[in-house]
């Protein structure tokens, strides 16, 4: 039977199991929107800015491990998606972004709202399509989901001219994708597994660095088995949080720029680093020339291009982590590393994380810790970028996979609110907290309206230090406390929230923290708390940018000028 | 490590935008393309591309792996250190007068190049060979006054069954 392009699109989305689409209308997508009511299986969430559509789809995708879908009109709608697409690209999140395009005859004519969105997004997509014939649409959608969700996941863009949405074609759903250039799950090299097992079995001070790849591969069981059998201490990257339960005796927190001192010390003193599903980002490694100086490095990743990209490794294993660990687990010995682990515990004892100080006012760390306690660690924390993100990473103990959702690679302020919407829609029974900085909150604040309209019952905590806190911290430490435009005037967030129809509380003292969190949790709908915390509180420990993991700053120091 | 010229050959799907995807990737990974040549291959629907870039082996291997990840790239190899045949074609329009014409013809003969167009005051020459040969012919002809040059860039294949 013949169907319009828009119908073929919707049919194909339904076939892919899509349940929700985040988007905003516009001239070039009207045929799609006009068709949507024929497919009640496809829930549409009307956001207030396309960037939020992409972030919401991103949050949804991280939780469900299925591609999130966002939809925007041509021109400004499409360009507004770009930050969200880039964010998904940097964090390997499966996303299918659908954009309307001006009708085919107008392409190349600088028509109203014509933008070359496939061109603009080229460096930040895994793949993209400009569909020229409605007969191609079913195949394109199938390929797009396949590419987005398999191998190392990523965003795929589908740009559909208006006439292609309107014109008719026979709807034939292809049962196979034809992608001769798409290399899927490489076969694991058996010789490398044997060599890796030998190194692991011989190591005396091994450390595992767990990355987001473990979560993407859903290899938690295999990972845990690996760690417990070999008794190797685990540290994680920022996005690796949740890959291993942080309440486990072998868990030693996060490494890197704001990692735990003991995690970094473990890495710097290790004789073997087993890096799993991570990409040696500079925020995790610090200066690579002094990274893990005593260690051989074993790197397991699905993407061959990650091997040797940022540093030289001794043994690479390319493959899906679940497969690799399943094979590797059979080869490794049951071991103990009693002395080594007690050494790391000793460091942990000497350099503990503290979430409060007697002399201080309301500290952000204190707030995060109370949210942790009152949710019994079962909340999903969706963070902004900056200090709030680091405190949320440090002071909440993450046990479940996907309990920490954050913009790691791109570091996109404003990610938290729309991403939390996507997360909550994916898992409506979970308690979802959006942890925002007062700066970042105002970058996607318009989504308060979406949250109200759709009654998305997330809890919002603004860690309000009346500053672009993380940048202020850098100015304090590296620019002699010359605060250039990092101190903020803010609106009354409680009033703003109430204006959006979301009840809210302001908290200025420690004693108010617990009751406020209780109020938020007891309320059935969305709720906001504006935590007025100390303005000049810093995130510690810290490795100065460009420095090695051994140069840990644990106390506020005023340091020399620097040029980054 | 040494930055040398590397020859990459890629079999790619013949789809719109493929060339753009590839050249954009080189730019994004901070590589300068010396030359790029594309044309149909022995398989319908697929093109073969020869790209010459400068870099040390590790850098080029990194960009090769990134290229290999592009969905439209079927296969890409760095054939710098294997036995290959390479050729480039150039067209050179050179000033020629009654006095210089025969001298030019002699040079062209030595290079086994051809004259493909004759005008009152110029000759257009076609030469095929590796880049060094093309370079030296151009150098020799410069004395006569070169009007225009167009070069295809290197195309390459591995020798025998390699
Ligand atoms: C979209 C965007 N713009 C700018 C930055 C640079 N940046 C990183 S952290 C930061 C400050 C964030 O301030 P706020 O949201 O209040 O969070 P805080 O650090 O105070 O917790 C800025 C401006 C960024 N990461 N993202």
């Amino acid at each position: 039977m013949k169907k319009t392009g828009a119908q073929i699109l919707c049919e194909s989305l339904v076939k892919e199991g899509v349940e929700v689409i985040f988007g905003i209308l516009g001239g070039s997508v009207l045929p799609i929107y006009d068709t949507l009511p024929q497919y009640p299986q496809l829930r549409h969430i009307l956001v207030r800015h396309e960037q939020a559509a992409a972030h919401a789809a991103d949050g949804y995708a991280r939780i469900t491990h299925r591609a999130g879908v966002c939809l925007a009109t041509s021109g400004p709608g499409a360009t507004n998606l770009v930050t969200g697409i880039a964010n998904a690209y940097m964090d390997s999140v499966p996303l299918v972004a659908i954009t309307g395009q001006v009708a085919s005859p107008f392409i190349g004519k600088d028509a109203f709202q014509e933008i070359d969105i496939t061109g603009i997004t080229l460096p930040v997509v895994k793949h993209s399509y400009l569909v020229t014939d409605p007969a191609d649409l079913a195949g394109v959608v199938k390929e797009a989901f396949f590419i987005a969700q398999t191998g190392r996941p990523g965003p795929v863009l589908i740009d559909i001219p208006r006439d292609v949405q309107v014109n008719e074609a026979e709807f034939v759903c292809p049962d196979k994708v034809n992608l001769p250039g798409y290399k899927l799950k490489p076969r694991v090299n058996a010789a490398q597994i044997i060599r890796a097992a030998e190194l692991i079995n011989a190591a005396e001070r091994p450390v595992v660095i767990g990355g987001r790849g473990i979560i993407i591969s859903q290899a938690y069981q295999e990972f845990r088995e690996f760690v417990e059998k070999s008794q190797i201490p685990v540290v994680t990257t920022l996005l690796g949080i949740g890959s291993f339960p942080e309440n486990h005796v072998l868990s030693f927190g996060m490494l890197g720029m704001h990692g735990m001192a003991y995690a970094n010390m473990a890495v710097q003193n290790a004789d073997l680093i087993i890096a799993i599903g991570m990409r040696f980002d500079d925020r995790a490694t610090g200066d690579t020339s002094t990274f893990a100086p005593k260690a051989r490095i074993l790197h397991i990743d699905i993407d061959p291009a990650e091997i040797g990209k940022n540093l030289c490794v001794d043994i690479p294993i390319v493959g899906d982590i679940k497969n690799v660990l399943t094979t590797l687990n059979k080869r490794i010995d049951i071991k103990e590393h009693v002395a080594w682990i007690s050494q790391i515990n000793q460091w942990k004892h000497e350099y503990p994380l503290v979430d409060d100080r007697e002399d201080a006012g309301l500290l952000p760390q204190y707030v995060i810790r109370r949210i942790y306690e009152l949710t019994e660690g079962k909340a999903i924390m969706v963070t902004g970028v900056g200090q709030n993100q680091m405190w949320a990473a440090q002071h909440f103990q993450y046990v479940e996979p996907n309990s920490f959702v954050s913009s790691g690679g791109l570091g996109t302020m404003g990610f938290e609110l729309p991403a939390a919407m996507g997360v909550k829609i994916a898992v409506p029974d979970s308690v979802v907290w959006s942890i925002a900085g007062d700066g970042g909150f105002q970058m996607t604040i318009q989504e308060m309206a979406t949250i109200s309209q759709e009654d998305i019952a997330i809890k919002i905590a603004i860690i309000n230090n009346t500053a672009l806190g993380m940048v202020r911290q850098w100015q304090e430490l590296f620019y002699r406390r010359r605060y250039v435009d990092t101190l903020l005037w803010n609106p009354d967030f409680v009033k703003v929230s109430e204006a959006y129809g979301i009840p809210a509380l302001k908290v200025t003292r420690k004693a108010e923290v617990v009751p406020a969190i209780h109020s938020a949790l007891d309320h059935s709908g969305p709720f906001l708390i504006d935590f007025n915390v100390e303005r000049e509180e810093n995130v510690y420990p810290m490795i100065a940018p460009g420095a090695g993991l051994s140069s840990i700053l644990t106390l506020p120091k005023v340091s020399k000028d620097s040029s980054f | 490590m040494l930055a040398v010229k590397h020859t990459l050959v890629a079999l790619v799907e013949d789809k719109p935008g493929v060339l753009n995807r590839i050249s954009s990737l080189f730019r994004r990974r901070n590589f300068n393309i010396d030359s790029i040549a594309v044309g149909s291959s022995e398989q319908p629907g697929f093109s073969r591309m020869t790209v010459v870039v400068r870099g040390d082996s590790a850098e080029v291997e990194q960009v090769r792996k990134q290229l290999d990840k592009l969905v439209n790239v079927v296969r890409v190899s760095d054939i710098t250190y294997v036995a290959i045949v390479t050729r480039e074609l150039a067209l050179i329009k050179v000033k020629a007068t009654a006095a210089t014409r025969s001298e030019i013809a002699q040079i062209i003969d030595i290079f086994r190049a051809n004259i493909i167009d004759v005008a009152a005051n110029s000759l257009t020459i076609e030469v095929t060979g590796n880049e060094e040969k093309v370079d030296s012919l151009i150098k020799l002809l410069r004395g006569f006054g070169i009007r225009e040059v167009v070069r295809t860039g290197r195309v390459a294949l591995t020798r025998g069954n390699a």
Side-chain angles (χ1 to χ4, degrees), chain A residues 27 45 114 116 127 148 221-222 239 272 341 388 471 510:
Chain A
I45 305 280
E114 183 201 352
D116 172 18
H127 198 52
Q221 264 330 103
E222 294 76 6
L239 292 190
L272 176 67
I341 289 165
N388 65 85
V471 182
K510 277 183 210 172

mmCIF file of all heavy atoms in Angstrom, chain A residues 27 45 114 116 127 148 221-222 239 272 341 388 471 510:
data_model
loop_
_atom_site.group_PDB
_atom_site.id
_atom_site.type_symbol
_atom_site.label_atom_id
_atom_site.label_comp_id
_atom_site.label_asym_id
_atom_site.label_seq_id
_atom_site.Cartn_x
_atom_site.Cartn_y
_atom_site.Cartn_z
ATOM 1 N N GLY A 27 7.588 24.847 10.200
ATOM 2 C CA GLY A 27 7.064 24.685 8.851
ATOM 3 C C GLY A 27 7.519 23.414 8.153
ATOM 4 O O GLY A 27 6.720 22.727 7.515
ATOM 5 N N ILE A 45 6.687 14.616 23.239
ATOM 6 C CA ILE A 45 6.868 15.568 24.326
ATOM 7 C C ILE A 45 7.301 16.888 23.703
ATOM 8 O O ILE A 45 8.374 16.978 23.098
ATOM 9 C CB ILE A 45 7.958 15.089 25.321
ATOM 10 C CG1 ILE A 45 7.669 13.689 25.855
ATOM 11 C CG2 ILE A 45 8.161 16.112 26.438
ATOM 12 C CD1 ILE A 45 6.655 13.626 26.958
ATOM 13 N N GLU A 114 16.366 27.402 5.296
ATOM 14 C CA GLU A 114 17.177 26.317 4.750
ATOM 15 C C GLU A 114 18.553 26.375 5.396
ATOM 16 O O GLU A 114 19.197 27.422 5.402
ATOM 17 C CB GLU A 114 17.355 26.453 3.236
ATOM 18 C CG GLU A 114 18.154 25.265 2.681
ATOM 19 C CD GLU A 114 18.826 25.518 1.342
ATOM 20 O OE1 GLU A 114 18.585 26.560 0.734
ATOM 21 O OE2 GLU A 114 19.617 24.639 0.938
ATOM 22 N N ASP A 116 22.139 23.775 5.858
ATOM 23 C CA ASP A 116 22.767 22.499 5.522
ATOM 24 C C ASP A 116 23.097 21.764 6.821
ATOM 25 O O ASP A 116 24.221 21.778 7.294
ATOM 26 C CB ASP A 116 24.031 22.787 4.708
ATOM 27 C CG ASP A 116 24.855 21.545 4.467
ATOM 28 O OD1 ASP A 116 24.318 20.426 4.616
ATOM 29 O OD2 ASP A 116 26.049 21.695 4.125
ATOM 30 N N HIS A 127 26.721 9.015 11.819
ATOM 31 C CA HIS A 127 26.363 8.978 10.411
ATOM 32 C C HIS A 127 25.184 9.911 10.188
ATOM 33 O O HIS A 127 24.535 10.331 11.152
ATOM 34 C CB HIS A 127 25.996 7.546 9.992
ATOM 35 C CG HIS A 127 26.024 7.349 8.505
ATOM 36 N ND1 HIS A 127 27.102 7.681 7.726
ATOM 37 C CD2 HIS A 127 25.101 6.841 7.640
ATOM 38 C CE1 HIS A 127 26.840 7.389 6.464
ATOM 39 N NE2 HIS A 127 25.631 6.875 6.374
ATOM 40 N N ALA A 148 23.069 3.744 15.151
ATOM 41 C CA ALA A 148 23.093 4.473 16.424
ATOM 42 C C ALA A 148 23.288 3.527 17.612
ATOM 43 O O ALA A 148 23.987 3.855 18.574
ATOM 44 C CB ALA A 148 21.802 5.270 16.601
ATOM 45 N N GLN A 221 27.823 -7.653 35.295
ATOM 46 C CA GLN A 221 28.053 -8.970 35.904
ATOM 47 C C GLN A 221 29.453 -9.457 35.610
ATOM 48 O O GLN A 221 30.192 -9.877 36.499
ATOM 49 C CB GLN A 221 27.038 -9.991 35.345
ATOM 50 C CG GLN A 221 25.821 -10.216 36.180
ATOM 51 C CD GLN A 221 26.075 -10.030 37.674
ATOM 52 O OE1 GLN A 221 25.700 -9.001 38.241
ATOM 53 N NE2 GLN A 221 26.732 -11.005 38.317
ATOM 54 N N GLU A 222 29.801 -9.399 34.314
ATOM 55 C CA GLU A 222 31.105 -9.879 33.865
ATOM 56 C C GLU A 222 32.221 -9.056 34.511
ATOM 57 O O GLU A 222 33.264 -9.590 34.881
ATOM 58 C CB GLU A 222 31.204 -9.784 32.337
ATOM 59 C CG GLU A 222 30.268 -10.707 31.567
ATOM 60 C CD GLU A 222 28.808 -10.240 31.539
ATOM 61 O OE1 GLU A 222 28.519 -9.123 32.023
ATOM 62 O OE2 GLU A 222 27.960 -11.004 31.045
ATOM 63 N N LEU A 239 32.293 9.101 33.776
ATOM 64 C CA LEU A 239 31.148 8.423 33.165
ATOM 65 C C LEU A 239 31.163 6.922 33.450
ATOM 66 O O LEU A 239 30.215 6.221 33.113
ATOM 67 C CB LEU A 239 31.112 8.676 31.655
ATOM 68 C CG LEU A 239 30.817 10.110 31.235
ATOM 69 C CD1 LEU A 239 30.558 10.186 29.738
ATOM 70 C CD2 LEU A 239 29.641 10.700 31.993
ATOM 71 N N LEU A 272 50.141 -2.348 36.895
ATOM 72 C CA LEU A 272 49.344 -2.693 35.714
ATOM 73 C C LEU A 272 48.037 -1.911 35.749
ATOM 74 O O LEU A 272 47.332 -1.911 36.757
ATOM 75 C CB LEU A 272 49.033 -4.201 35.682
ATOM 76 C CG LEU A 272 48.116 -4.660 34.536
ATOM 77 C CD1 LEU A 272 48.792 -4.500 33.179
ATOM 78 C CD2 LEU A 272 47.671 -6.115 34.733
ATOM 79 N N ILE A 341 45.890 -3.654 48.444
ATOM 80 C CA ILE A 341 44.591 -3.066 48.784
ATOM 81 C C ILE A 341 44.649 -2.353 50.132
ATOM 82 O O ILE A 341 44.069 -1.277 50.303
ATOM 83 C CB ILE A 341 43.492 -4.147 48.730
ATOM 84 C CG1 ILE A 341 43.252 -4.523 47.271
ATOM 85 C CG2 ILE A 341 42.195 -3.660 49.374
ATOM 86 C CD1 ILE A 341 42.491 -5.792 47.059
ATOM 87 N N ASN A 388 28.947 21.539 40.739
ATOM 88 C CA ASN A 388 27.828 20.704 41.172
ATOM 89 C C ASN A 388 27.996 19.276 40.671
ATOM 90 O O ASN A 388 27.689 18.309 41.359
ATOM 91 C CB ASN A 388 26.511 21.312 40.685
ATOM 92 C CG ASN A 388 26.402 21.310 39.166
ATOM 93 O OD1 ASN A 388 25.987 20.328 38.573
ATOM 94 N ND2 ASN A 388 26.799 22.399 38.525
ATOM 95 N N VAL A 471 34.332 27.936 37.129
ATOM 96 C CA VAL A 471 35.217 28.907 36.492
ATOM 97 C C VAL A 471 35.758 29.871 37.552
ATOM 98 O O VAL A 471 36.933 30.245 37.536
ATOM 99 C CB VAL A 471 34.484 29.650 35.360
ATOM 100 C CG1 VAL A 471 35.423 30.627 34.679
ATOM 101 C CG2 VAL A 471 33.922 28.666 34.348
ATOM 102 N N LYS A 510 21.947 24.683 57.165
ATOM 103 C CA LYS A 510 22.067 23.228 57.230
ATOM 104 C C LYS A 510 20.805 22.573 57.778
ATOM 105 O O LYS A 510 20.350 21.553 57.263
ATOM 106 C CB LYS A 510 23.232 22.836 58.142
ATOM 107 C CG LYS A 510 24.584 22.861 57.476
ATOM 108 C CD LYS A 510 25.658 22.382 58.437
ATOM 109 C CE LYS A 510 26.978 23.060 58.099
ATOM 110 N NZ LYS A 510 28.029 22.804 59.078
#
